[in-house]
Amino acid sequence: MTLVDEEGYRSRLVKAASALRSLEAEVARLTRQHTEPIAVIGMGCRFPGGVDDPESFWTLLSDGVDAVSERPAPATEDATRTGAFLSDVDGFDAAFFGISPREAAALDPQHRLLLEVAWEALEDAGVVTERLAGSRTGVFVGMSSNDYLLLSARSGALGGYTGTGTAHSFGAGRLSYLLGLRGPSLSVDTACSSSLVAVHLAIRSLRTGESSLALAGGVNLVLDDSVTEMVADLQALSPDGRCRTFDARANGFVRGEGCGIVVLKKLSDALADGDRVLAVLRGSSMNSDGRSAGLTAPNPLAQQDMLRQAFADARVRPGDIGYVETHGTGTALGDPVEIEALTEVFGEPDPDSGSCVLGAVKTNIGHLEAAAGVAGLIKAVLVLRYGKIPRNLHFNTLNPRISLTGTPFVIPKTAVAWPAGERPRIAGVSSFGMSGTNAHVVVAEAPTAEPVPPRAGPILLPLSARSQAALTDLASAHASVLARDSDPHDIAYTAGARRDHHERRIAVVGESATELAEKLHALVRDGVTAARADTPPALTYVFSGQGAQWIGMGRQLQASEPVFATTLGRCDELIAQNASFSLLAELAAPPDRSRLQRTEIAQPALFAIQIALSALLSSWGVRPDAVIGHSVGEIAAAQVAGALSLADAIRIVVSRGRIMARADGSGAMVSVALSQDEIAASMSTTDTSVAVAAVNDDRSVVLSGAVDELRTVLDPLQRRGVRCRRLPVDYAFHSPSMAPLAVELAEELRTVEASRTLCPLYSTVRGDRIGGHELTADYWADNVRHPVRFAEAVHAAARDGQQVFLEIAPHPVLSGHVANCLGRGAAIPTLRRERPELHGMLSSVAELYTAGYPVDFAGLYRDRRPVVSLPRYPWQRRRYWLDTPEPPGEQAAVEPVHWVDELIGLPDGEKEAAIESAVRTDTAAVLQSSPSDVPVDGMFMELGMDSLMTVQLRHELAARTGLALPATLAFDHPTPRAITRYLLKVLAEHVENGS
């Protein structure tokens, strides 16, 4: 072999080795993908016995409660029967989901239950539904009964919404539609195994990447006894209404109702996202009985294959399984076959493995049929979580057709402790369908969560709901949770960062769980009042001028908030490049050495605090839609608006402070409670150099000048009882005496590189909005010399739609002036002199939140906190059933011209009120609700109005008014107020044309 051949051979070997490594990596990747564990991150359930969440389900199981009872009365007129029933299945919070009363009455209660429980499961998982819109979130729901359709047909209540309200496909589809989910969405009907098959399909979808998140489970309601009679004909029901699984007295099952949903995510994604992992689904399988002794008869061979496939998929041995939640119906044939299959797969006891406990939740809550599998799965997750296997009810003597000799199996007559140990605890859950479809899921304990250090300091707890009543209930429930031994920071984190935020809002700030609970109790006692916050308000930052500083400002935030400290440090570095002092040293100086009252120190220090406060707020998701700066505060406003770089802004503020410091001792400044016109009239009779330095609101000006001349101007005003307050300064800023210093500042700055602002900047030099390019050296000279036109700037911002004004300052000096300008409580302060700083900032954020501002609560917690269980949403249910009255037919055109003529004769205000009332009345008629339930600014779609209803609304209004209205009326004008304004316009044209 020549050298060339040898090199070629070596090259081919290297390439082959590289290709082999790539193939091995791809095989490993595919293996990981197809075997990746799936995390259960949330659960929701509604089961018999008053169970409305996983915690109450565990209480029922632990206490050994038998939930079988007599049928509740309200749903049907059938004779009383035993079963495991839910109460009040006719109730539903249709308004929460934007479903009209008309459609809700036609909606299968199973679909309604699914919506509520799915929402509760997402809340339990800490998943914010707004972030799911457009995501690959899958919905897999087991449903098999259709009793409501049978009832609808019998009662003659079939209508346009019956199809979409009762077809199984719409159970999953409506949930995907309402949340905007774009992953798979399907309803599964394999009879009794439906919900566990749904979980199996969800696992597969997550592993392939088809879904990024999945909701899986099932629902079952027993609304019509004809189905029960059919099952009874199969000799499957227990004559005495008890499930005696594995017992010698086993004589069938009892039907039950319920709904269970689990929220699933790949374990790697769940850990990366900081989700709470309740348990891990290691694997699953599904198969069919094929040909057995009969169509509905179980097949032990098929069940054996199913178990082996599930264990292989989970990469576990049968001996690793310490608990199996069996299908366990308590039938003479089913129980022995299930034990036979388990015995064949598990074999003899393994001394190293220990026993395997066989559970049967049907002994507690009956057979939930399409929801039975997920009920068993939720029980298994709770068993792993609490480390205890509850006893099976109604078990005394083993069924003589079953033998446990030589098996690892134990049937618990009392609760069995199952604590965490060296080996991971693993359970299995089985579910078999009457039509032959079997499913098994392998469930393992959750990985140990990383410990999170306790956190100290004030807590902001935000709560929200879609109605005032729900918000009151929610506040009361959270107060109860806080009264227990719970970490208030974890509660606040979950409530803020891991819950949806609705239109009605409250927020409380406190130093402890006790204080938060007391404040919530006080709100409930006094009556929770929360204005509806449909859209985020436009937010304006207001940066105060010199005088707001105080010794010690910023120190607490510097110690507790890294973002604030980092920003302050950056300002310190840039100030050091332009000045001969250290900002941080000046802020830390004790009172006897503090120089914060000196202008050359105060102005840069105030600027730095304001920039650091803005950065801190930004890290919490709070950013301005516009800015206003008062005097020196305009430099910070320009920087936050993006017109100035931080370096240029600091160069300006340092130069300004140093030059203006030479005005110290030049005079005084006085606040006078008069309007600008009134003070001008008063001073017109006096020959004086006193000037108006600032117009802060419609009834407040600041005068600046020499002390003697100020006294001459003020004496007559004070004799008239005008309030005059001297400011604690010895200079005359914004007066003619500042002109030489203003010229000097312009010369020193020379050129200023200003950019177009990223948000509106309302100039207090010009009293209106500017674009940013105006911020030249001459502008900053005018900022020193000319009056501060603060009131004009505030009014200009308000005219442009700015609604909330947040004062960025170490102490509020402008908030009162903003409120005086706008006549409402639109101003919110941040810090207050010598008050706890973080508490003050959180209080400001709380006010913004209640006003509707979208706060990023995750930003409040730089250390990721654990997700904890919180009270579920308090549904405000109303009865919806087949006897809900039909909407009135189209109104005949009863003297429409007469109605229009009456409107024409009304004053404008009464005319608008009459039209608005008519629109809300007709809207309510179409929705089958009350006019009081139709908010004037409520979006028709959010009220539950679909395209058919919008057409009907147009017909109603056309008939009432006699006007030719477009078919797209409710689409073009999507609220009652919008239609009202449109009709006013049409009516005006009607009058103008003499029609």
Side-chain angles (χ1 to χ4, degrees):
M1 179 181 294
T2 66
L3 182 60
V4 173
D5 290 339
E6 185 177 340
E7 288 179 352
Y9 181 67
R10 184 181 295 110
S11 175
R12 288 193 293 275
L13 281 176
V14 170
K15 289 181 179 178
S18 176
L20 183 60
R21 285 193 296 271
S22 297
L23 288 173
E24 289 174 341
E26 179 64 11
V27 169
R29 185 190 68 79
L30 291 173
T31 301
R32 285 195 304 272
Q33 174 181 305
H34 290 293
T35 61
E36 172 149 20
I38 302 300
V40 180
I41 63 172
M43 303 189 297
C45 61
R46 199 77 51 75
F47 293 144
V51 169
D52 50 19
D53 56 27
E55 287 71 27
S56 58
F57 187 33
W58 179 249
T59 299
L60 177 141
L61 294 170
S62 297
D63 293 347
V65 174
D66 181 353
V68 172
S69 64
E70 294 184 348
R71 177 190 295 280
T76 71
E77 297 178 358
D78 297 330
T80 300
R81 301 288 294 269
T82 58
F85 300 112
L86 301 181
S87 61
D88 303 322
V89 296
D90 53 350
F92 179 52
D93 193 344
F96 180 90
F97 294 101
I99 296 174
S100 71
R102 178 179 176 183
E103 185 176 5
L107 193 60
D108 189 331
Q110 294 182 126
H111 295 203
R112 307 177 199 165
L113 193 57
L114 174 64
L115 291 177
E116 291 186 354
V117 174
W119 184 274
E120 292 167 3
L122 288 168
E123 282 193 330
D124 186 60
V127 173
V128 179
T129 65
E130 291 178 353
R131 299 173 192 160
L132 295 181
S135 70
R136 296 193 317 275
T137 298
V139 177
F140 304 83
V141 179
M143 298 177 69
S144 60
S145 66
N146 219 333
D147 292 10
Y148 204 63
L149 178 59
L150 296 176
L151 294 176
S152 299
R154 285 203 196 100
S155 66
L158 297 175
Y161 292 106
T162 303
T164 58
T166 59
H168 290 168
S169 60
F170 285 94
R174 181 174 283 101
L175 181 58
S176 296
Y177 163 75
L178 289 174
L179 299 182
L181 313 178
R182 295 186 182 172
S185 185
L186 60 149
S187 294
V188 178
D189 183 0
T190 59
C192 314
S193 61
S194 298
S195 58
L196 206 63
V197 168
V199 172
H200 167 77
L201 295 175
I203 292 171
R204 294 296 186 268
S205 183
L206 287 164
R207 283 177 170 175
T208 62
E210 181 182 55
S211 296
S212 56
L213 183 78
L215 289 90
V219 61
N220 186 64
L221 289 178
V222 181
L223 305 176
D224 187 277
D225 269 352
S226 62
V227 178
T228 302
E229 291 164 4
M230 286 188 281
V231 179
D233 289 343
L234 296 173
Q235 304 299 308
L237 295 185
S238 168
D240 54 6
R242 292 294 182 276
C243 273
R244 295 185 172 87
T245 306
F246 307 133
D247 190 82
R249 298 168 297 155
N251 58 1
F253 65 83
V254 57
R255 299 191 74 194
E257 299 180 322
C259 179
I261 295 290
V262 292
V263 183
L264 308 176
K265 185 186 283 190
K266 288 194 296 186
L267 179 60
S268 57
D269 291 343
L271 294 175
D273 294 341
D275 295 317
R276 175 181 56 173
V277 178
L278 303 175
V280 176
L281 308 185
R282 295 275 292 268
S284 64
S285 67
M286 173 181 69
N287 72 359
S288 173
D289 283 334
R291 184 177 291 278
S292 61
L295 176 61
T296 61
N299 185 335
L301 296 178
Q303 291 184 19
Q304 293 170 31
D305 288 344
M306 172 202 71
L307 291 169
R308 291 189 178 101
Q309 291 168 20
F311 296 159
D313 186 57
R315 296 188 167 191
V316 299
R317 299 178 302 106
D320 297 329
I321 308 296
Y323 158 62
V324 173
E325 178 59 34
T326 63
H327 184 62
T329 53
T331 58
L333 178 61
D335 288 358
V337 168
E338 184 169 8
I339 294 295
E340 177 187 343
L342 286 166
T343 300
E344 183 64 29
V345 173
F346 277 73
E348 295 184 356
D350 182 348
D352 296 329
S353 300
S355 61
C356 178
V357 181
L358 303 182
V361 73
K362 291 180 180 65
T363 64
N364 296 94
I365 60 174
H367 190 352
L368 304 194
E369 299 168 16
V374 75
L377 176 59
I378 292 174
K379 176 186 173 183
V381 173
L382 293 171
V383 163
L384 289 165
R385 185 175 179 187
Y386 290 101
K388 184 175 73 172
I389 304 172
R391 69 185 179 95
N392 291 354
L393 305 187
H394 315 306
F395 179 77
N396 295 319
T397 306
L398 186 65
N399 186 326
R401 299 181 62 186
I402 296 173
S403 174
L404 300 182
T405 303
T407 75
F409 303 126
V410 174
I411 298 174
K413 291 185 177 181
T414 59
V416 177
W418 196 26
E422 293 182 1
R423 296 177 56 196
R425 294 169 300 151
I426 304 175
V429 181
S430 291
S431 192
F432 309 141
M434 187 176 286
S435 59
T437 302
N438 310 309
H440 189 85
V441 173
V442 178
V443 193
E445 63 185 340
T448 303
E450 292 292 329
V452 178
R455 179 169 177 159
I459 310 117
L460 165 57
L461 175 63
L463 299 177
S464 69
R466 291 190 173 169
S467 71
Q468 201 87 317
L471 186 57
T472 299
D473 292 344
L474 197 65
S476 181
H478 276 77
S480 298
V481 169
L482 286 162
R484 303 173 200 156
D485 187 18
S486 304
D487 188 320
H489 288 281
D490 295 344
I491 291 173
Y493 166 76
T494 303
R498 294 293 199 134
R499 284 284 175 99
D500 283 80
H501 297 287
H502 307 297
E503 306 93 288
R504 306 283 183 179
R505 302 177 172 193
I506 58 173
V508 291
V509 178
E511 298 291 333
S512 66
T514 301
E515 184 181 353
L516 293 173
E518 289 173 351
K519 288 186 174 182
L520 289 177
H521 280 308
L523 284 171
V524 172
R525 183 177 60 251
D526 298 339
V528 174
T529 56
R532 186 182 175 95
D534 290 307
T535 56
L539 175 63
T540 299
Y541 279 8
V542 177
F543 296 87
S544 67
Q546 189 172 341
Q549 73 277 6
W550 49 277
I551 297 172
M553 65 177 182
R555 292 179 188 173
Q556 293 176 3
L557 291 177
Q558 189 180 356
S560 67
E561 300 302 316
V563 170
F564 184 90
T566 299
T567 305
L568 213 57
R570 178 58 180 154
C571 289
D572 176 63
E573 294 172 2
L574 293 172
I575 288 173
Q577 296 173 17
N578 294 272
S580 60
F581 65 88
S582 164
L583 168 69
L584 297 181
E586 294 296 341
L587 291 175
D592 59 335
R593 293 204 301 272
S594 176
R595 300 190 295 171
L596 281 180
Q597 296 308 315
R598 292 175 53 172
T599 298
E600 69 271 24
I601 306 295
Q603 293 192 5
L606 184 62
F607 168 89
I609 291 291
Q610 290 172 329
I611 296 301
L613 288 174
S614 299
L616 180 58
L617 288 165
S618 180
S619 73
W620 296 344
V622 180
R623 299 174 185 89
D625 299 300
V627 295
I628 299 174
H630 190 287
S631 188
V632 68
E634 199 159 36
I635 304 174
Q639 200 283 321
V640 170
L644 296 176
S645 69
L646 184 60
D648 276 343
I650 284 179
R651 181 172 69 93
I652 294 170
V653 76
V654 169
S655 295
R656 186 185 194 273
R658 187 180 64 253
I659 291 171
M660 292 184 70
R662 298 211 301 274
D664 288 354
S666 64
M669 302 179 76
V670 179
S671 173
V672 181
L674 289 176
S675 69
Q676 184 176 7
D677 290 342
E678 288 171 333
I679 196 65
S682 176
M683 291 172 58
S684 65
T685 60
T686 306
D687 183 17
T688 180
S689 62
V690 170
V692 174
V695 181
N696 289 330
D697 64 47
D698 301 338
R699 297 291 301 173
S700 178
V701 298
V702 175
L703 301 183
S704 178
V707 175
D708 291 342
E709 291 194 52
L710 275 170
R711 189 177 297 113
T712 301
V713 171
L714 296 175
D715 283 347
L717 297 178
Q718 291 174 318
R719 286 195 295 270
R720 286 165 41 196
V722 176
R723 186 174 62 86
C724 302
R725 180 176 60 86
R726 180 166 176 171
L727 305 182
V729 299
D730 64 350
Y731 43 70
F733 289 174
H734 302 286
S735 70
S737 65
M738 297 300 296
L741 299 180
V743 172
E744 184 179 342
L745 177 62
E747 291 175 349
E748 181 168 314
L749 293 178
R750 295 186 182 177
T751 59
V752 174
E753 294 183 7
S755 306
R756 178 169 291 278
T757 59
L758 302 177
C759 69
L761 168 61
Y762 292 89
S763 166
T764 52
V765 173
R766 302 186 180 180
D768 207 345
R769 178 176 173 175
I770 60 175
H773 62 275
E774 301 92 337
L775 301 176
T776 62
D778 287 339
Y779 179 92
W780 296 112
D782 290 343
N783 172 275
V784 168
R785 163 63 183 88
H786 293 307
V788 179
R789 299 162 67 177
F790 181 73
E792 291 180 65
V794 169
H795 283 300
R799 285 195 301 271
D800 288 348
Q802 300 300 316
Q803 299 163 287
V804 176
F805 295 75
L806 183 67
E807 184 170 358
I808 310 298
H811 184 74
V813 293
L814 297 175
S815 295
H817 295 305
V818 172
N820 290 341
C821 283
L822 302 181
R824 62 181 187 273
I828 301 172
T830 46
L831 303 184
R832 292 183 182 275
R833 192 184 312 275
E834 297 179 354
R835 300 278 186 87
E837 292 180 332
L838 184 55
H839 192 288
M841 290 296 289
L842 293 180
S843 297
S844 303
V845 173
E847 287 195 58
L848 288 175
Y849 172 76
T850 57
Y853 196 85
V855 178
D856 177 12
F857 287 98
L860 289 171
Y861 294 89
R862 60 186 182 278
D863 55 334
R864 182 183 281 172
R865 306 301 302 177
V867 176
V868 297
S869 295
L870 294 183
R872 66 189 185 284
Y873 188 87
W875 307 111
Q876 303 300 299
R877 298 186 181 97
R878 293 171 53 182
R879 187 175 191 272
Y880 298 99
W881 206 253
L882 299 173
D883 55 3
T884 299
E886 286 295 313
E890 282 193 18
Q891 295 181 2
V894 181
E895 299 183 308
V897 176
H898 174 66
W899 187 77
V900 169
D901 286 344
E902 284 185 350
L903 287 178
I904 293 172
L906 293 174
D908 289 345
E910 293 181 24
K911 187 186 303 179
E912 181 172 357
I915 295 176
E916 180 183 294
S917 175
V919 173
R920 293 176 67 193
T921 298
D922 288 352
T923 300
V926 170
L927 293 171
Q928 284 193 353
S929 64
S930 166
S932 61
D933 293 332
V934 180
V936 68
D937 289 313
M939 300 290 289
F940 290 126
M941 180 175 290
E942 294 178 2
L943 295 174
M945 188 172 286
D946 57 21
S947 56
L948 294 176
M949 294 184 189
T950 60
V951 172
Q952 185 177 349
L953 176 60
R954 178 259 181 193
H955 290 335
E956 298 281 349
L957 291 171
R960 178 189 289 273
T961 63
L963 300 172
L965 302 176
T968 58
L969 175 69
F971 290 100
D972 298 336
H973 311 281
T975 67
R977 190 188 302 277
I979 287 185
T980 298
R981 290 172 177 169
Y982 171 77
L983 291 177
L984 280 170
K985 178 182 176 184
V986 171
L987 193 62
E989 295 172 351
H990 179 83
V991 173
E992 185 178 338
N993 295 333
S995 304

